[in-house]
Each structure stands twice: as structure tokens, then as C-alpha cells.
Amino acid sequence: MSVESVESRNGNYPGLGIGQPVGVAILGKGTVGSEVLRLIQEFSENLEQRIGGPLEVRGVAVSNVEKHKNAPEVQGIELTDDARSLITRDDVDVVVEVIGGIDYPRELVLTALKAGKSVVTANKALVAAHGSELADAANEAGVDLYYEAAVAAAIPVVGMLRRSLAGDQVQRISGIVNGTTNFILDAMASTGATYEEALAEATRLGYAEADPTADVEGHDAASKAAILASMGFHTRVTFDDVSCEGITKITAEDIDAAKQSNQTIKLLAICERLYDEDGKTKAVNARVHPTLIPNDHPLASVDKSYNAIFVEAEAAGRLMFYGNGAGGAPTASAVLGDLVGAARNKVHGGRAPAENPYANYPVVGFDEVATRYHVNMTVNDRVGVLAELTRKFAEANVSLSAVRQEESGDEAHLIVVTHKALEKDLRDIVDRLSRHPDVQQVNSVIRLDA
């Protein structure tokens, strides 16, 4: 097929033509970047058949050329510490960004897009913080922006939202999108370990970074929640829009209490529509927090460092996507899938489905969301305390689903499970209870999945 016939078929997005090489620049050669290079070389013939032309790596940008120059996967490939010069070369068609971070990658990705290069990124923090800016730049230049690997590595949830459910209405997305925290919570539940012990084991096995803050405080999951909400609800949601609470306060006692009620605790990213009295979408919300879910829920059985995303759509119903959500090979698989898509469009012409935030729903904070609470308090063991404290919930218009009191000497553990109420009302009543003279301590507050 000639270049002319491709151009006439695809209007403003002409292709290079069948058989023409696609030049690729790779930014970063860490675990993921090295694996991407290896896969491109190992599967070169298959990739050429899938794309319609060969992939040719024009160069790899690294911060320290000397450190990487003897690596086997870069022999015969240009190494450079000048990323900007590499990505603006005329023979580069697609840029793969696997550096990490936000500010420097943002500059590079914007430079690439404005230079007419399609971009594949695995950078969840970048997309969550600046996705709208990058999407606008891609649209203006008429190029592709892919980021499947930014959410749950090889699990194809972004492509599912972008393409497979493009004709449906997504109502809710909930998922385990951070392997480190899932490993920790699973270890606590299966071995009886404390949070500190489980974190130490996760660090020893390489699941947790030396500084695990982004994982255990929920920031990593919040970035992914922002991306999922943006894709699912056709509304631009950023990291700053996502309410976030990590797992650092979860105790072995919380895990035991969950077991006693046939539930389990998972750190969930939850994105959902909020409806008005007429059943129409009035807003959307995205949040991350530890959540009690029934043991018969599909997400409850997701163990170790695995990820899973549970999607509820109007026509498709309930769908679940499960697999490795991190690691060099799974992430590289997602990057390569995006690279094939971007390269195919370069050869044949046309563009992938772009971000379409046409709905533009208001994004509301957690205060306006109806949730349920599981509250564990240590209280003075005297006659009338149970009745008095439960009456406080009624006075705040919060109805109770269950109340359990366990006596222990001069004190008692009072466990209260509420029905759904606005988050701000539930938080207010817990705050007032914590200052009540008969409440020695509010031990934990965990939300239940509605």
C-alpha cells in the first residue's frame, strides 16, 4: 500500500506506509525500560507483522551513560543523556517514557507531543497530575497518548475503559491497585503479623520500597484512582481530587474483628457516580481507603501482591480484571502493547481513541459521599454506657446496623456498625464520641463497602 493511499484513507492522520520502519526513543533504562528493550529485540519479527513495519530503537536516554553502556540490551543502540535532542529527532516517531517522577518527565512528554511524536508512558503520577494537559497537547498535535501501564501494569483496564466499554455507562469502579499494601494486609490476615512485621517482610521480599510512603499512605493507589475515574466517567479527575487514607493505622485487632464478622480488609480505590433524586448523575467521587468487604466478594480472595479491578457498568454488568499489578515484565508487557498500538497508527495512519471528558461532571470530595462505618471503641464499663453512646448516633440521624459490646474488667470494647450516611456526618459523630467522658479511646474506624 502506498503512502498516498494511506493518507487519502485517513485524512489528517496519514501513515508512513506498509513496511516503513517506526523509530522509537526510550526514556529511562531501569527495570521496566530494560525489559521493554529486551522484548522489542526478542519479538522483533512478530512485532513487525503486528505493526506492518519494523520497530527501530533510535536511542535510549539515561542519566548516566557510563553506568549502562555495557548492558547487553543496548549494544548497537545509541545511549545519550540528552533526552530532549533524542525525542525531537526527525527519525523518531514514538517516545516511550519509563523514567518516573513528575516534573522532568512532564517537560519531556510535552516536548515530544508538541514535536509530533506519539507517547507511551507508564508514569501514573504524571498522568494523574497532568493528564488533561498531556491529552490536550496530543490532540493539538494529532498524535497518540497511551498509558495502559500506568494502572495495574499488565491488567488491561485502561484499554477496557477506553475501547471495550466505550458504548456503555460505567457506574462504579473499585479495586485493589497496589500490590505492596495488598501483600501487607494479606500477611496480617494469614499469619497474624502486626503491620510493622508485615511491612518488614514486604521490604525483605522486595515488594516494598526502602521508603514505602507512597504505597502505605495510599498515594500510589490515589494516582491510579484519578486515572480510572477520568476514563470511566469522561470527566477530568486529578490526584488532588482523590481523598486518600492509607493502611498504617490498621492493627492485628482490626484484622481479627474483620474475621469474626466474615469480612476482610483491603485497601480499595473506589470511583463512583453520585445520583440525584431523579436518578441522574450529579457528580463523581474518587477515593482510597481501607475497606471492609464480605468474604464472598470477588475482591476478598485477591491475595499476596496481586491486583484486581471490579467494574460495574449499566449494560455489561459486573466485570473483574485480575493479575500482576506491578513488576518489570508485567509493566513492560503493557508498555509494549501500547507501543504496538501507537506504532501501528504511525504505519497505517489514524489515531487511537483519545481522552474525551465531554461529561465534565462535578468532582466532589468525600464529605458528600454516603458510606458506612465500623467503629471500635474502648469505653468505661458501667450501666447505661451502651445506651447513651448509641443514642448519640440517633441524635446525629445515623442509624445503626449492629452493636456489640465485649466486657474486659473495668472497660469494654464497643463495636458499632452504621447504616449509610454522609461521610461528614459520620466523621463528626466519631469525633464527638472520641471526646465523650466515657470513651477511653476510639481504636479504629474502618469503612465498609456499600
Side-chain angles (χ1 to χ4, degrees):
M1 184 181 292
S2 68
V3 174
E4 288 76 20
S5 62
V6 173
E7 182 171 356
S8 62
R9 186 186 68 192
N10 290 288
N12 294 327
Y13 307 117
L16 298 169
I18 300 296
Q20 294 299 309
V22 178
V24 179
I26 298 178
L27 310 182
K29 206 193 79 64
T31 302
V32 176
S34 297
E35 189 69 11
V36 169
L37 274 169
R38 184 188 70 80
L39 292 174
I40 289 175
Q41 294 162 4
E42 182 175 342
F43 301 133
S44 59
E45 292 183 6
N46 286 330
L47 295 175
E48 181 175 351
Q49 293 299 316
R50 297 169 193 176
I51 292 166
L55 287 178
E56 295 184 357
V57 179
R58 306 301 189 197
V60 178
V62 295
S63 59
N64 186 335
V65 172
E66 286 296 315
K67 176 181 177 182
H68 297 282
K69 68 179 183 180
N70 294 321
E73 64 271 14
V74 296
Q75 299 310 301
I77 296 174
E78 178 184 344
L79 278 178
T80 179
D81 57 7
D82 188 352
R84 289 179 180 82
S85 293
L86 174 62
I87 62 181
T88 54
R89 282 171 43 174
D90 290 340
D91 61 349
V92 168
D93 304 295
V94 182
V95 173
V96 175
E97 185 274 306
V98 285
I99 301 172
I102 296 179
D103 294 336
Y104 180 53
R106 170 181 169 271
E107 294 176 13
L108 295 179
V109 170
L110 283 173
T111 297
L113 293 171
K114 292 175 181 178
K117 321 297 183 180
S118 291
V119 171
V120 173
T121 179
N123 193 332
K124 54 188 169 287
L126 172 64
V127 177
H130 298 291
S132 60
E133 180 184 24
L134 302 182
D136 288 343
N139 288 334
E140 186 173 344
V143 295
D144 289 330
L145 173 65
Y146 282 90
Y147 44 86
E148 180 66 68
V151 180
I155 302 175
V157 64
V158 172
M160 174 272 300
L161 293 170
R162 177 179 278 178
R163 292 184 294 271
S164 303
L165 293 181
D168 209 335
Q169 176 165 291
V170 174
Q171 298 167 327
R172 194 172 193 264
I173 305 168
S174 57
I176 299 164
V177 294
N178 182 271
T180 301
T181 52
N182 200 57
F183 178 89
I184 292 171
L185 292 173
D186 182 57
M188 293 176 70
S190 60
T191 69
T194 64
Y195 166 78
E196 291 77 15
E197 292 168 341
L199 173 58
E201 178 67 3
T203 304
R204 185 184 72 82
L205 294 173
Y207 292 119
E209 301 287 344
D211 180 2
T213 302
D215 292 323
V216 299
E217 294 293 353
H219 303 156
D220 173 83
S223 291
K224 296 168 183 176
I227 296 170
L228 292 171
S230 298
M231 298 295 297
F233 305 138
H234 302 284
T235 295
R236 286 176 172 169
V237 180
T238 70
F239 173 84
D240 290 336
D241 295 320
V242 182
S243 303
C244 184
E245 178 184 320
I247 65 166
T248 57
K249 296 179 182 178
I250 298 298
T251 66
E253 289 75 21
D254 295 328
I255 299 292
D256 288 340
K259 287 181 180 179
Q260 292 175 21
S261 58
N262 294 316
Q263 298 181 97
T264 189
I265 300 174
K266 298 292 186 182
L267 183 74
L268 294 189
I270 300 174
C271 314
E272 63 181 349
R273 294 173 182 265
L274 306 181
Y275 298 95
D276 62 20
E277 294 179 353
D278 297 324
K280 296 181 179 180
T281 303
K282 64 178 181 179
V284 298
N285 170 261
R287 59 191 188 272
V288 170
H289 52 70
T291 309
L292 277 163
I293 56 176
N295 285 337
D296 60 359
H297 191 287
L299 291 175
S301 61
V302 178
D303 61 358
K304 300 178 182 176
S305 62
Y306 284 94
N307 284 194
I309 295 97
F310 196 73
V311 180
E312 300 170 57
E314 184 172 320
R318 306 167 84 197
L319 309 168
M320 192 168 96
F321 302 80
Y322 168 88
N324 281 315
T331 305
S333 172
V335 169
L336 210 60
D338 280 351
L339 179 55
V340 167
R344 187 188 295 125
N345 290 340
K346 286 293 184 180
V347 169
H348 297 277
R351 292 183 63 203
E355 180 201 50
N356 187 3
Y358 72 92
N360 195 30
Y361 294 119
V363 182
V364 299
F366 203 0
D367 279 357
E368 303 307 314
V369 176
T371 58
R372 300 172 63 204
Y373 272 14
H374 178 284
V375 185
N376 183 328
M377 297 176 282
T378 300
V379 301
N380 295 327
D381 188 13
R382 67 170 180 81
V383 175
V385 166
L386 175 60
E388 182 176 341
L389 295 182
T390 55
R391 186 167 60 249
K392 295 295 182 182
F393 283 90
E395 292 171 355
N397 269 335
V398 176
S399 62
L400 302 184
S401 171
V403 179
R404 186 171 78 250
Q405 182 173 335
E406 301 172 354
E407 297 182 1
S408 177
D410 294 332
E411 61 185 32
H413 284 291
L414 180 62
I415 297 173
V416 175
V417 180
T418 74
H419 285 297
K420 290 181 74 171
L422 287 179
E423 169 75 14
K424 61 184 178 183
D425 294 334
L426 288 169
R427 192 169 57 244
D428 179 65
I429 183 62
V430 169
D431 180 62
R432 284 190 279 125
L433 285 172
S434 68
R435 290 181 273 110
H436 192 281
D438 280 315
V439 176
Q440 297 181 18
Q441 183 176 341
V442 175
N443 301 311
S444 66
V445 179
I446 303 176
R447 296 168 187 88
L448 286 81
D449 194 35

